[in-house]
Amino acid sequence: MALTIRLLQHKAKDFNGKWYGRVVKTGEVHTKELAETISKNTTLTRADVEATVLALVEEMKYRLQSGDTVVLDGFGRFHLTVQSDMVEHPEDFNLKKHIRRILCKFTPAATRNQLDRHLERNFIEGVELQRI
């Protein structure tokens, strides 16, 4: 199976109508479908997988909100960060006023290629591309 790429033309003046590639999204898969597939390939039931995923989500939420970075080995790292406005003096900073939003950042797991020291991300290893 290949990842399909569609070409789009940039409309902004600064880019002079240049073309760029975008991934064609083919749909979404949710926990229930993933659990069904995993249950077919393991000794776990769909309910077992769903319960485990829901428990993982709740524990991750608790850990992230406590300031921890959550590392799922072979999957990636999650941590919370904020976007905030700048102020002249520390005493002027107000959490409610100057924190614009809280973000959850994800970094996919990777291994370093020993030949050229390049990072190889686990989720993109072996991806094939096709153009439409």
Side-chain angles (χ1 to χ4, degrees), residues 5-79:
I5 305 297
R6 169 183 294 140
L7 291 179
L8 299 171
Q9 190 172 27
H10 207 292
K11 304 290 185 204
K13 293 178 188 177
D14 297 344
F15 294 96
N16 297 323
K18 292 184 180 176
W19 293 82
Y20 61 99
R22 285 278 183 209
V23 171
V24 176
K25 294 182 176 71
T26 58
E28 292 182 345
V29 62
H30 293 266
T31 306
K32 189 172 185 171
E33 292 87 10
L34 290 171
E36 286 175 12
T37 303
I38 292 169
S39 72
K40 290 176 185 173
N41 297 318
T42 66
T43 59
L44 300 170
T45 67
R46 182 188 54 79
D48 291 338
V49 176
E50 282 188 71
T52 302
V53 170
L54 291 175
L56 175 64
V57 169
E58 286 300 314
E59 184 63 18
M60 285 179 63
K61 180 178 176 181
Y62 172 77
R63 295 299 185 129
L64 289 166
Q65 290 180 5
S66 298
D68 290 334
T69 295
V70 176
V71 180
L72 300 179
D73 299 323
F75 190 85
R77 306 169 67 87
F78 297 83
H79 72 277

Side-chain angles (χ1 to χ4, degrees), residues 55-120:
L56 175 64
V57 169
E58 286 300 314
E59 184 63 18
M60 285 179 63
K61 180 178 176 181
Y62 172 77
R63 295 299 185 129
L64 289 166
Q65 290 180 5
S66 298
D68 290 334
T69 295
V70 176
V71 180
L72 300 179
D73 299 323
F75 190 85
R77 306 169 67 87
F78 297 83
H79 72 277
L80 296 184
T81 186
V82 297
Q83 288 183 343
S84 69
D85 297 322
M86 290 190 269
V87 296
E88 291 292 325
H89 306 287
E91 58 272 9
D92 295 338
F93 194 85
N94 180 302
L95 290 175
K96 291 188 189 303
K97 182 178 176 184
H98 295 109
I99 298 292
R100 284 184 276 140
R101 64 184 183 159
I102 302 169
L103 301 169
C104 181
K105 298 285 186 154
F106 170 67
T107 305
T111 54
R112 192 162 301 279
N113 180 318
Q114 294 303 314
L115 296 175
D116 62 5
R117 306 294 295 155
H118 182 75
L119 279 179
E120 296 175 353

